[in-house]
Amino acid sequence: FPVTILAGLAKEVVDYVLSKNFKTLIYSSCNVETLERDFHMLKEKYFIKTLKPFDMFMKTSHFEVVAVFENRL
């Protein structure tokens, strides 16, 4: 699937995920804006069960976020 760094999920990936019945999705992001955008595209079928920031680069202002999405069904 065409995934670009920092760009979040490509529309084709979102369409594929929504066409399946995955129980859980693990989403790792270094860009909270694209995480939010992608969440809005997935929220009809998935909710965020866990959202956790990780400071992997302690001497910078950057952090990673891991979101665990659960299927609403």
Side-chain angles (χ1 to χ4, degrees):
F1 292 105
V3 178
T4 304
I5 296 175
L6 301 179
L9 298 176
K11 178 75 169 102
E12 296 86 0
V13 174
V14 173
D15 292 342
Y16 176 79
V17 168
L18 292 175
S19 75
K20 302 299 178 183
N21 198 27
F22 299 118
K23 179 181 176 186
T24 304
L25 305 174
I26 308 295
Y27 185 120
S28 177
S29 178
C30 62
N31 186 329
V32 294
E33 287 85 12
T34 56
L35 171 60
E36 179 184 20
R37 183 205 65 207
D38 295 343
F39 164 69
H40 285 291
M41 290 190 286
L42 297 168
K43 69 182 180 182
E44 285 185 35
K45 192 167 185 178
Y46 295 93
F47 67 94
I48 294 178
K49 180 178 180 181
T50 306
L51 188 66
K52 184 163 175 100
F54 289 90
D55 187 1
M56 297 175 66
F57 309 102
M58 294 176 210
K59 295 185 180 188
T60 72
S61 61
H62 300 284
F63 61 94
E64 307 295 313
V65 177
V66 174
V68 177
F69 288 82
E70 290 288 323
N71 195 311
R72 293 185 181 277
L73 302 176

